[in-house]
C-alpha cells in the first residue's frame, strides 16, 4: 500500500468518523444504532489486498479509538480492526472476486461488522471492562448488522467507485 | 514469491498488533496520551456536532416522522413545496417546544433543590461502536462545567460529567454498566448502591442487611464528599421489583430510572451544591386522582306483556366525585 493511498484512506476515514459521531449517532434507529464507520471500514478492507487490509484495519481502528465517547483503552479498536483486516483478507481469497458476487460482499461486510463488535467486547472482557447485559449487547450487535445489511447496497457501490478513482495506474497493475 | 508476500503480510500483522498492544499498555499504565488525544478529538468534533445538531435536529426522529413525507403530487407542486416548508417549520418548532418543556422541567427541579446549574443542550450521543452510554453536551469548562459534576434533567438524575473541554462535555449516562451511585430510599432512609445495567433498568443493592425495600419506593442520591461527583437529594429511580429469591446477604431490587435517557435533549449540570441538603423535597409526589364512586341501584322490573308503562323516568345510578 503506497503512502499516498494511506493518506487518502486516512482522510476519507476521518471524514466518515466525523459524520458518524456528529450525524449518524444522533439518529434514533429502531432496534439499535448503526455504525456507518464500521460498515465503511469493512467495505474498504474488503477491496484491499492482504497488506492493504491489515494497514487499513489498523488505521481505521486507531481513528475509532479516538472517539471521545469510547470508554476503552487507546489501541483496543486498532488491535481488533488489524485482526479483522487479516481475517477478512484471508477469507476473502477463498470466496473470490466480490465484483461478480455483490450479495456475498454485503453478507461479508455485515458479518465483519458483527464479528468486529464481538471481538471488541471479547478483548474488553479480557481487559476487565464491564460491557453490560448480554441481551443489550446482542440487540446492539444484531441491530447494527441489520442496518449494515440494509445500507450496504447504498454504501458499497459508492466506495467501489471512489476506490477506482483513487487508484493510480501503478496500483491497478 | 507468494511465500515471500505471505511472510511480509504476517510480519506487518505482527508489527501492527504489537503496536496496538503497546498503545493499550501505555493507556492502562495511565499515560495521558489517551485523554489528551480524545480531548483533542472532542474539541474538534464539538463545533461540527453543534452545526449538525442545529441543522439536522429533527433528523434524529427521522424513522418516527418518515410517515409525514412522500405525499407530493405533480399538479400541486408549488403549493406542496410551500406546505413542506411549513411542515418542516412545524417539526422544528415542535422540537424547540419539546426542548423548552424539558428545560423548564429541569430548571424547576434545580430551583426546588436550590442548586446552581448550567443548562446545556445534547449535541451528540455515544455511537453504536463504543458500547459506553454517553451523551455530549454543548457546555464546557468556559461555562464552569468540569469533570465529576452531577447532570440532571426534569425528572431526576441523568449522569455525571466524564470529561470536559472548553465548549463541550461528555456525560456518562446512569444506564452505563460501569455507573455506580450511592442512594437512599426516600421513605425508609435505607442506603444502598445503584448499578447501571446497560438499559433502562437498574439493580439496587441495599447496604443494610436488615433494611427493607418495597415496590414503588423512590430512590434519591446519597451524595458524595464535597458533592463530587454526586450532590445529595436528586431523584434517581423507582423500585419496580424486589428480589426475594437471591441468596446474597444484602437485599436486591430492580429499579427503573425516573429520567427517560433516550429522549433527553436538554440537561442541567449542577455547578454548585445547595446550601442545605434538600432531603426528600425533590421526590416526585403522585398527582391527585379523581375517583368516581358509583352507587348501584336495582334495575326497574320489566313490565309484563300486556301491562302499560308509566311516563316517569327510570332511576339512574348516582355518582359522586371525590379527590384522593
Amino acid at each position: 500500500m503506497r503512502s499516498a493511498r494511506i493518506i487518502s484512506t486516512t482522510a476519507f476515514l476521518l471524514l466518515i468518523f466525523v459524520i458518524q459521531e456528529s450525524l449518524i449517532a444522533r439518529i434514533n434507529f429502531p432496534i439499535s444504532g448503526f455504525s456507518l464507520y464500521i460498515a465503511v471500514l469493512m467495505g474498504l478492507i474488503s477491496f484491499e489486498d492482504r497488506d492493504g487490509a491489515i494497514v487499513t484495519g489498523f488505521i481505521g481502528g486507531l481513528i475509532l479509538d479516538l472517539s471521545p465517547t469510547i470508554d476503552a483503552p487507546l489501541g483496543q479498536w486498532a488491535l481488533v480492526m488489524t485482526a479483522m483486516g487479516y481475517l477478512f483478507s484471508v477469507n476473502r481469497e477463498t470466496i473470490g472476486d466480490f465484483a461478480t458476487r455483490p450479495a456475498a460482499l454485503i453478507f461479508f461486510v455485515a458479518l465483519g461488522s458483527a464479528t468486529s463488535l464481538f471481538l471488541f467486547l471479547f478483548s474488553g472482557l479480557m481487559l476487565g471492562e464491564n460491557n453490560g447485559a448480554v441481551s443489550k449487547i446482542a440487540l446492539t450487535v444484531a441491530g447494527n448488522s441489520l442496518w449494515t445489511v440494509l445500507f450496504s447496497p447504498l454504501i458499497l457501490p459508492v466506495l467501489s467507485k471512489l476506490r477506482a478513482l483513487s487508484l493510480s495506474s501503478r496500483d491497478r497493475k | 514469491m507468494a511465500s515471500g508476500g505471505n511472510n511480509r503480510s504476517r510480519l506487518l500483522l505482527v508489527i501492527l498488533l504489537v503496536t496496538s498492544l503497546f498503545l493499550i499498555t501505555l493507556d492502562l499504565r495511565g499515560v495521558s496520551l489517551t485523554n489528551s488525544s480524545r480531548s483533542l478529538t472532542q474539541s474538534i468534533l464539538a463545533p461540527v456536532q453543534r452545526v449538525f445538531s442545529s441543522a439536522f435536529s429533527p433528523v434524529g426522529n427521522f424513522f418516527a416522522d418518515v410517515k409525514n413525507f412522500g405525499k407530493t403530487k405533480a399538479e400541486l407542486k408549488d403549493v406542496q413545496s410551500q406546505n413542506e416548508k411549513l411542515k418542516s417549520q412545524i417539526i422544528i418548532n415542535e422540537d424547540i417546544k419539546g426542548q423548552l418543556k424539558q428545560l423548564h422541567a429541569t430548571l424547576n427541579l434545580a430551583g426546588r433543590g436550590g442548586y446552581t446549574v448550567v443548562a446545556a443542550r445534547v449535541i451528540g450521543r455515544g455511537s453504536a461502536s463504543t458500547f459506553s452510554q454517553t451523551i455530549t453536551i454543548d457546555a464546557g469548562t468556559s461555562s464552569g462545567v468540569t469533570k465529576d459534576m452531577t447532570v440532571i434533567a426534569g425528572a431526576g438524575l441523568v449522569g455525571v460529567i466524564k470529561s470536559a473541554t472548553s465548549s463541550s462535555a461528555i456525560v456518562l449516562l446512569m444506564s452505563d454498566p460501569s455507573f455506580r451511585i450511592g442512594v437512599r430510599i426516600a421513605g425508609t432512609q435505607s442506603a444502598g448502591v445503584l448499578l447501571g445495567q446497560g438499559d433502562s433498568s437498574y439493580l439496587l443493592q441495599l447496604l443494610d442487611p436488615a433494611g427493607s425495600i418495597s415496590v414503588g419506593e423512590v430512590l434519591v442520591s446519597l451524595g458524595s464528599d464535597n458533592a463530587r461527583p454526586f450532590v445529595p437529594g436528586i431523584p434517581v429511580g423507582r423500585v419496580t421489583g424486589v428480589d426475594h429469591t437471591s441468596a446474597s446477604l444484602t437485599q436486591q431490587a430492580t429499579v427503573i430510572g425516573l429520567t427517560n435517557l433516550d429522549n433527553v435533549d436538554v440537561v442541567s449540570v449542577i455547578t454548585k451544591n445547595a446550601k442545605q441538603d434538600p432531603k426528600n423535597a425533590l421526590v416526585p409526589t403522585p398527582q391527585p386522582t379523581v375517583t368516581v364512586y358509583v352507587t348501584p341501584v336495582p334495575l326497574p322490573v320489566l313490565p309484563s306483556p300486556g301491562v302499560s308503562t308509566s311516563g316517569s323516568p327510570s332511576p339512574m345510578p348516582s355518582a359522586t366525585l371525590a379527590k384522593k
Side-chain angles (χ1 to χ4, degrees):
Chain A
M1 202 175 182
R2 299 178 64 200
S3 54
R5 274 183 46 71
I6 291 176
I7 293 167
S8 63
T9 304
T10 307
F12 179 67
L13 283 172
L14 278 170
L15 175 72
I16 300 296
F17 176 71
V18 171
I19 293 171
Q20 170 69 42
E21 292 288 318
S22 309
L23 180 63
I24 307 293
R26 279 194 69 81
I27 300 173
N28 295 323
F29 284 92
I31 306 173
S32 184
F34 165 58
S35 179
L36 172 73
Y37 183 83
I38 292 180
V40 167
L41 183 58
M42 288 298 135
L44 285 179
I45 286 173
S46 69
F47 293 133
E48 295 289 345
D49 60 5
R50 189 171 289 189
D51 287 0
I54 294 169
V55 173
T56 306
F58 177 75
I59 295 168
L62 209 54
I63 292 172
L64 200 48
D65 272 321
L66 293 176
S67 172
T69 58
I70 206 164
D71 198 17
L74 186 83
Q76 192 179 332
W77 265 119
L79 181 79
V80 168
M81 287 303 182
T82 308
M84 280 306 297
Y86 180 73
L87 288 175
F88 222 104
S89 61
V90 169
N91 289 293
R92 178 189 183 280
E93 286 159 13
T94 62
I95 289 184
D97 188 10
F98 278 130
T100 55
R101 304 172 71 182
L105 176 59
I106 291 166
F107 173 74
F108 232 63
V109 167
L111 187 70
S113 297
T115 311
S116 62
L117 289 172
F118 275 124
L119 271 180
F120 178 76
L121 286 168
F122 183 70
S123 56
L125 276 178
M126 290 203 297
L127 292 168
E129 289 165 18
N130 182 0
N131 293 311
V134 176
S135 58
K136 176 77 179 173
I137 291 168
L139 197 68
T140 304
V141 177
N144 186 58
S145 303
L146 174 73
W147 289 113
T148 306
V149 168
L150 291 176
F151 284 117
S152 289
L154 303 173
I155 299 164
L156 294 175
V158 178
L159 279 183
S160 175
K161 287 205 172 78
L162 283 174
R163 183 176 182 270
L165 284 174
S166 71
L167 283 178
S168 64
S169 55
R170 192 174 148 183
D171 289 324
R172 285 194 186 96
K173 281 175 188 172
Chain B
M1 285 296 282
S3 170
N6 278 342
N7 285 340
R8 197 182 63 180
S9 295
R10 281 186 196 129
L11 181 66
L12 184 67
L13 176 71
V14 169
I15 289 170
L16 294 180
L17 287 178
V18 168
T19 309
S20 305
L21 287 169
F22 178 67
L23 286 171
I24 293 172
T25 311
L26 279 183
D27 189 287
L28 293 177
R29 286 182 69 86
V31 176
S32 61
L33 176 77
T34 313
N35 286 338
S36 52
S37 59
R38 283 182 183 154
S39 292
L40 180 71
T41 314
Q42 195 190 337
S43 304
I44 295 165
L45 278 177
V48 184
Q49 285 180 321
R50 200 169 288 121
V51 169
F52 272 100
S53 174
S54 49
F56 296 100
S57 188
V59 175
N61 293 319
F62 171 78
F63 288 97
D65 299 332
V66 77
K67 61 176 182 280
N68 295 329
F69 297 100
K71 293 176 181 172
T72 340
K73 288 182 180 175
E75 65 269 25
L76 296 171
K77 199 176 176 183
D78 292 341
V79 181
Q80 284 205 328
S81 86
Q82 213 173 0
N83 196 23
E84 288 300 321
K85 278 180 193 169
L86 290 170
K87 270 184 185 174
S88 62
Q89 192 61 48
I90 288 169
I91 292 170
I92 291 166
N93 286 346
E94 285 295 316
D95 189 47
I96 292 169
K97 265 167 71 179
Q99 288 187 2
L100 272 176
K101 200 176 163 187
Q102 285 192 7
L103 179 64
H104 182 262
T106 307
L107 293 179
N108 187 27
L109 181 78
R112 280 191 289 139
Y115 306 115
T116 307
V117 296
V118 170
R121 229 156 43 97
V122 177
I123 56 170
R125 289 175 193 276
S127 61
S129 54
T130 64
F131 282 103
S132 62
Q133 305 202 359
T134 55
I135 53 173
T136 309
I137 57 172
D138 66 350
T141 49
S142 59
S143 313
V145 174
T146 55
K147 196 183 170 189
D148 287 342
M149 282 182 167
T150 311
V151 182
I152 57 169
L157 186 72
V158 170
V160 65
I161 299 289
K162 185 181 159 195
S163 63
T165 63
S166 63
S167 60
S168 69
I170 289 179
V171 180
L172 182 72
L173 294 176
M174 58 185 285
S175 56
D176 189 272
S178 64
F179 191 90
R180 306 275 183 277
I181 181 173
V183 291
R184 64 180 164 81
I185 298 172
T188 63
Q189 301 295 308
S190 295
V193 179
L194 191 75
L195 314 168
Q197 300 280 305
D199 51 21
S200 60
S201 69
Y202 302 85
L203 181 70
L204 170 68
Q205 290 179 337
L206 271 195
L207 297 177
D208 179 11
S212 65
I213 324 170
S214 309
V215 172
E217 284 186 305
V218 175
L219 309 175
V220 293
S221 60
L222 205 53
S224 316
D225 282 346
N226 299 320
R228 291 288 192 100
F230 300 110
V231 297
I234 300 290
V236 177
R238 192 184 293 277
V239 178
T240 54
V242 182
D243 181 11
H244 294 292
T245 57
S246 173
S248 61
L249 288 174
T250 55
Q251 279 210 58
Q252 294 189 343
T254 314
V255 173
I256 190 138
L258 291 174
T259 307
N260 184 355
L261 299 175
D262 292 333
N263 293 337
V264 66
D265 278 329
V266 178
V267 295
S268 285
V269 183
I270 298 178
T271 53
K272 199 175 165 190
N273 191 16
K275 285 175 184 161
Q276 286 184 329
D277 185 350
K279 306 284 182 192
N280 292 345
L282 304 182
V283 173
T285 49
Q287 294 289 316
T289 52
V290 176
T291 310
V292 179
Y293 296 101
V294 179
T295 312
V297 172
L299 289 168
V301 180
L302 287 172
S304 309
V307 178
S308 65
T309 55
S310 68
S312 62
S314 60
M316 294 292 289
S318 62
T320 51
L321 290 175
K323 267 192 172 181
K324 258 188 179 173

